[in-house]
Amino acid sequence: MAVEAPTKKLLQGNEAIARGLVENGCVVAASYPGTPASEILTSVQEWQRREGVEMHVEWSVNEKVALELAYTASQTGLRAATAMKQVGLNVASDPLMSAAYLGVVGGFIVVSADDPGPHSSQTEQDSRLMAMLAKIPVLDPDSPQQARELTGTAFALSETFSIPVMLRPTTRVCHACQDVALEPVAQLGRSANFRKDPSRWAATPKFRYQLHLELNEKLANIAAYTPTAPRCHNPQTVSRKAVVASGPAAAYVREALGDLGLWDQVSFHQVVQPYPLHSAFIEETLAGYDEILVLEETTGVIEMQFRDRSKVRGKLSGAVPEAGELLPEIVERILADFAGLSAAPSAPAAAPGGRRPTLCPGCPHRASFYAIKKAAPKGIYPSDIGCYTLGINLGAVDTVLCMGASISQAAGFYHSYRITGQQRDIVATVGDSTFFHAGVPPLVDAVTQGARFVLVILDNATTAMTGNQPTPAQGTPAGLPVAIENLVQGCGVRFCKSADPLDLPGFTALMKEAVAFSREEGVAVVIAKSPCLVDRSAPRVQRAQPAVTAEKCIGCRVCTAAFECPALEYDETTKKVTVDRMICSGCNVCLSVCPVGAIEEVKG
Amino acid sequence: MSRQQLIISGVGGQGILFITRLLAETAIAKGLPVLTSETHGMAQRGGIVISHLKVGDFSSPLVRPGKADLLLSLKAETVALHLHFLNHSGTVAANARALPEAAAGKEAVTVDADTLALNLGDPRSVNLIVLGRALAQPGMLFCSAEEVIAVLKARLAGKEKQLQGALAALKAGMEYGAA
Ligand code: SF4
Ligand code: SF4
């Protein structure tokens, strides 16, 4: 068969959301990367470039700044959006709560991507609860195609009611790909036009009460807004049982009802706006059915809005698991049970096993962690969010709380030991992007309060974990780079030195110096500078791979266990180590790790 | 074949996303609807990475256990890990010297893609070698080698060196199958 020219394009969910934003006249977009939301802004940049639209698109220093910046564009009448992962919304929650009261002028969308599972997050939190807390509507797409469609709906909703609208995709939407039909890009031709109104935009508490009343009224009307009303997929089915689902769970239900032969036996309603749930829908569903099953991720947000829950089964009733991803096989089982099918299908189980993630072979972070452990072998090691969290494999990561917390926790450890008459070496690690994001305030605090620890800023000149987005240290074509050294010094730190961790002996010596300073004087900062290996913007150096001389290798496993390079393999039968030529990057750090010099450079 | 469910798995860094999207675009080129699900984030750092690919009339991107028609495994150890996704007549194409024990009784093909990739001087070409091996097996995939090559050429247009490398890898896998 001949391959025809495609009329539809393969888009990842995040690319589809980006496309939807650009198609619907969004001209300001700001984001901070985080899985599963990272590709949204990259893709907005790409669509902007291809379509030649005048926009401001930025990787902001953190989510709070991103939301504030985009919201302000909406205050001037432009359409704007901000995108982040669910825990990023925690950081941005302060402006969100307030913006909900003030309302918007130009359409304003907050994309908050959830990660049930979780696959790559510290919590499974449901952003829809954050929408409830802020009292703003939230839309819950089931697929890339629907995510694209709902961005247009969200802008219309936002402008109709002058309210920020949340779009909440989950990992299975963000990181799904689908054939999506593109629509033309709308050029709205609006100009920024900020109408001063201090009693609204700078409202004092007295007026905030008034704004709260208005917000409640908006919500009541949004609960009757037709374009976002629940959709019944099988209106011809007459049943006393209904399943109500949103997001990817709705996509699973659609497939499972067909496979189980239940399409004509159970009514199926898809909710696209879980909050506020349409009031007429609540009444009609409660009146029209004897049993109602609600399937949604991750919390029972739709379920809890049914005020009478005697007929409702879901997370709160215990019928649906309250933690973990609601996988299609689980949905199928619950549906079969709900429909009273005698032999519920049982899915074959996964075999146990797997593989823990590790830092890349040749990753400079591995060398940094190894040096840290040499310089402070009995230390406490607070760490942070990024690839370097994987330093846990080397025993060099003791705590991971949230963005920037490595520094506050280092101070917390110091003071806790100090007031109980003890001293411990404390070495915190934070990535460059994370340091910019939330590391500066705790560093100021630590210096001010006289804390003593070493902070290693792992500066690989990129945001590696999420796909190599730039950091403020790279600057932008329009702006100036901000140097980490200057920031550190500006925080009042008196010991600030940089070195390349791939020079393991030199870096270890510097770490020892920093640890000594921290014991006597205060905060010492070491900036470990070396580029990320998967960053395509960094120059790639092709280096020769070393080899292990079998006669010299004593099988001590220091290189595989303590140094943990995945390119070094210990062979149980020969009791020797070999270099995996498929993945070794030739960084040659292992040469200084091997205690007997068995790993040697290959001259060629 | 207008409907197929696939699992593609291996470890982070092997280019699983690349061949998932290549196959998805081939489906679109054939006028077939497609849905995929990708792994991003922490697991991409050397952990187990899995892609789901559903060609035809589906609404969800995830393949349920017991439903897959084909498992493409770029690392032998993932055969055992992901075999439960296969249906009764599901087949396996794996990067392995010999068929992993777990797949005994299944219709399966193997290819020593690591060695072939090293011989080609490109350890990152394992993905296309395994895909080539599966394409050489009649009826294993919803598409033909020619259809994949057409999409590959469109994808890598203007990147001549990359394209030649990709085509060589695909061919190496296919010829291994013919040998
Ligand atoms: S992606 Fe970069 S920073 Fe992350 S583990 Fe690999 S080399 Fe290290
Ligand atoms: S040179 Fe040594 S440490 Fe570096 S990647 Fe290769 S085996 Fe690992």
Side-chain angles (χ1 to χ4, degrees):
Chain A
M1 179 187 145
V3 177
E4 300 151 21
T7 49
K8 289 184 161 186
K9 230 180 124 46
L10 184 73
L11 293 192
Q12 193 200 46
N14 284 338
E15 295 168 343
I17 291 169
R19 177 71 196 182
L21 292 173
V22 177
E23 277 176 5
N24 287 285
C26 173
V27 289
V28 173
S31 177
Y32 182 83
T35 312
S38 309
E39 298 84 1
I40 298 173
L41 196 90
T42 319
S43 175
V44 169
Q45 282 172 326
E46 186 61 24
W47 292 120
Q48 174 208 11
R49 197 181 54 75
R50 279 200 233 166
E51 300 279 352
V53 192
E54 188 64 48
M55 290 182 77
H56 176 71
V57 185
E58 73 162 55
W59 284 118
S60 305
V61 70
N62 64 30
E63 295 86 355
K64 178 179 186 291
V65 173
L67 192 145
E68 290 161 351
L69 183 118
Y71 174 65
T72 307
S74 147
Q75 287 182 315
T76 74
L78 304 178
R79 284 193 168 178
T82 181
M84 57 200 69
K85 69 181 298 180
Q86 85 286 37
V87 292
L89 190 62
N90 297 342
V91 176
S93 60
D94 204 359
L96 178 66
M97 301 297 145
S98 186
Y101 277 46
L102 304 183
V104 309
V105 182
F108 178 53
I109 300 179
V110 177
V111 184
S112 183
D114 284 354
D115 187 24
H119 297 276
S120 206
S121 304
Q122 65 265 40
T123 71
E124 289 193 286
Q125 66 193 68
D126 187 332
S127 294
R128 302 175 309 163
L129 288 170
M130 209 63 129
M132 289 181 97
L133 182 61
K135 296 195 166 182
I136 61 167
V138 52
L139 307 182
D140 192 358
D142 67 6
S143 61
Q145 172 65 44
Q146 195 177 63
R148 188 196 127 277
E149 174 199 320
L150 289 182
T151 52
T153 312
F155 272 130
L157 174 61
S158 173
E159 289 182 356
T160 305
F161 295 96
S162 173
I163 193 168
V165 174
M166 182 187 290
L167 180 67
R168 192 292 301 247
T170 67
T171 301
R172 298 305 182 187
V173 173
C174 293
H175 291 155
C177 291
Q178 189 176 21
D179 48 316
V180 176
L182 306 188
E183 298 289 332
V185 169
Q187 303 261 19
L188 302 181
R190 295 184 190 175
S191 291
N193 179 16
F194 176 58
R195 295 219 171 86
K196 290 196 180 195
D197 181 3
S199 66
R200 177 179 174 193
W201 300 129
T204 53
K206 192 171 137 215
F207 290 106
R208 295 271 170 168
Y209 167 70
Q210 205 55 43
L211 289 169
H212 192 183
L213 293 178
E214 283 174 29
L215 180 57
N216 289 344
E217 200 184 310
K218 287 179 191 176
L219 277 178
N221 291 328
I222 292 169
Y225 183 65
T226 320
T228 56
R231 306 162 180 186
C232 180
H233 288 296
N234 53 357
Q236 74 293 342
T237 299
V238 182
S239 174
R240 300 306 298 161
K241 292 184 178 186
V243 53
V244 175
S246 79
Y252 306 152
V253 168
R254 196 193 300 226
E255 262 180 45
L257 281 182
D259 289 1
L260 293 168
L262 293 172
W263 193 253
D264 300 322
Q265 289 171 46
V266 178
S267 292
F268 170 29
H269 300 267
Q270 179 175 7
V271 170
V272 294
Q273 179 187 289
Y275 179 81
L277 191 58
H278 284 67
S279 22
F281 175 74
I282 299 176
E283 301 312 323
E284 285 160 19
T285 310
L286 285 174
Y289 301 100
D290 297 334
E291 286 175 77
I292 302 155
L293 172 66
V294 185
L295 294 166
E296 58 185 321
E297 284 179 315
T298 308
T299 307
V301 166
I302 297 172
E303 186 185 1
M304 72 174 77
Q305 292 172 83
F306 283 99
R307 280 183 203 96
D308 170 10
R309 283 206 291 277
S310 55
K311 296 175 172 181
V312 180
R313 297 195 204 167
K315 301 222 167 205
L316 304 173
S317 82
V320 182
E322 282 196 279
E325 187 176 4
L326 195 52
L327 290 165
E329 52 269 34
I330 303 175
V331 164
E332 184 180 32
R333 203 180 57 230
I334 295 172
L335 270 178
D337 191 51
F338 179 65
L341 293 188
S342 45
S346 74
R355 208 181 237 262
R356 66 178 186 184
T358 57
L359 294 164
C360 296
C363 174
H365 298 339
R366 178 175 287 105
S368 294
F369 284 122
Y370 196 74
I372 288 168
K373 290 205 66 178
K374 282 270 174 287
K378 293 204 170 70
I380 301 178
Y381 313 121
S383 191
D384 227 300
I385 313 266
C387 282
Y388 50 92
T389 304
L390 295 170
I392 195 165
N393 295 351
L394 284 94
V397 167
D398 289 325
T399 66
V400 175
L401 187 61
C402 65
M403 293 287 282
S406 55
I407 304 172
S408 350
Q409 290 207 278
F413 282 122
Y414 170 75
H415 293 301
S416 302
Y417 278 89
R418 178 182 57 82
I419 58 169
T420 51
Q422 308 170 72
Q423 187 168 26
R424 288 285 294 270
D425 290 338
I426 300 160
V427 185
T429 43
V430 71
D432 45 351
S433 186
T434 308
F435 177 65
F436 280 112
H437 176 285
V440 176
L443 186 56
V444 170
D445 191 76
V447 170
T448 312
Q449 298 293 335
R452 294 180 185 183
F453 57 84
V454 180
L455 171 64
V456 182
I457 301 178
L458 302 163
D459 179 8
N460 56 6
T462 188
T463 316
M465 180 61 130
T466 50
N468 299 104
Q469 293 80 8
T471 76
Q474 280 87 59
T476 67
L480 297 173
V482 174
I484 295 177
E485 292 79 354
N486 296 349
L487 263 181
V488 169
Q489 277 151 8
C491 290
V493 174
R494 287 176 296 124
F495 183 111
C496 176
K497 295 187 182 182
S498 304
D500 183 349
L502 294 185
D503 164 20
L504 191 58
F507 191 80
T508 311
L510 174 59
M511 277 308 305
K512 287 184 177 157
E513 196 192 324
V515 169
F517 181 93
S518 76
R519 283 180 190 147
E520 305 300 326
E521 312 246 0
V523 179
V525 171
V526 172
I527 306 177
K529 275 190 193 293
S530 192
C532 163
L533 293 180
V534 307
D535 186 2
R536 293 213 186 90
S537 66
R540 183 164 299 241
V541 258
Q542 197 58 52
R543 281 172 293 212
Q545 297 171 334
V548 181
T549 309
E551 300 75 55
K552 289 193 192 167
C553 176
I554 54 170
C556 68
R557 300 207 218 183
V558 167
C559 59
T560 53
F563 187 59
E564 198 254 353
C565 178
L568 293 164
E569 291 174 319
Y570 178 76
D571 187 325
E572 290 290 349
T573 45
T574 61
K575 309 252 183 281
K576 307 271 178 200
V577 165
T578 53
V579 175
D580 182 347
R581 290 171 56 218
M582 293 293 286
I583 57 173
C584 167
S585 71
C587 73
N588 276 354
V589 173
C590 53
L591 271 62
S592 339
V593 170
C594 176
V596 296
I599 313 179
E600 292 170 286
E601 229 174 298
V602 176
K603 298 255 161 51
Chain B
M1 198 188 308
S2 60
R3 212 175 137 96
Q4 190 173 36
Q5 306 195 51
L6 280 86
I7 295 289
I8 306 169
S9 65
V11 300
Q14 286 191 305
I16 287 166
L17 292 186
F18 181 84
I19 53 167
T20 307
R21 292 200 184 178
L22 179 63
L23 286 172
E25 284 178 357
T26 307
I28 296 178
K30 287 174 66 106
L32 298 169
V34 67
L35 275 161
T36 77
S37 181
E38 307 175 331
T39 306
H40 289 261
M42 188 72 97
Q44 282 180 301
R45 306 284 166 256
I48 299 290
V49 167
I50 177 167
S51 279
H52 301 233
L53 179 82
K54 290 161 92 173
V55 179
D57 179 27
F58 292 99
S59 59
S60 118
L62 292 181
V63 175
R64 274 171 282 154
K67 300 282 181 188
D69 303 297
L70 171 62
L71 167 62
L72 271 186
S73 162
L74 305 196
K75 193 98 187 164
E77 70 195 59
T78 67
V79 171
L81 280 181
H82 297 140
L83 203 73
H84 68 289
F85 279 106
L86 286 182
N87 61 34
H88 293 304
S89 53
T91 56
V92 180
N95 171 17
R97 293 219 174 93
L99 185 67
E101 241 171 76
K106 289 278 174 196
E107 189 191 325
V109 295
T110 56
V111 54
D112 181 6
D114 285 9
T115 305
L116 287 180
L118 284 175
N119 291 345
L120 287 171
D122 183 6
R124 286 167 183 266
S125 61
V126 164
N127 55 353
L128 285 164
I129 295 173
V130 178
L131 177 59
R133 180 68 193 88
L135 283 168
Q137 202 67 12
M140 199 169 232
L141 275 161
F142 67 92
C143 54
S144 69
E146 295 71 42
E147 288 163 343
V148 172
I149 288 170
V151 174
L152 198 55
K153 282 184 175 158
R155 261 199 138 208
L156 297 177
K159 298 177 183 164
E160 201 45 40
K161 216 179 132 206
Q162 253 178 286
L163 176 62
Q164 289 316 322
L167 292 175
L170 209 56
K171 193 159 152 259
M174 290 172 66
E175 282 171 357
Y176 191 96

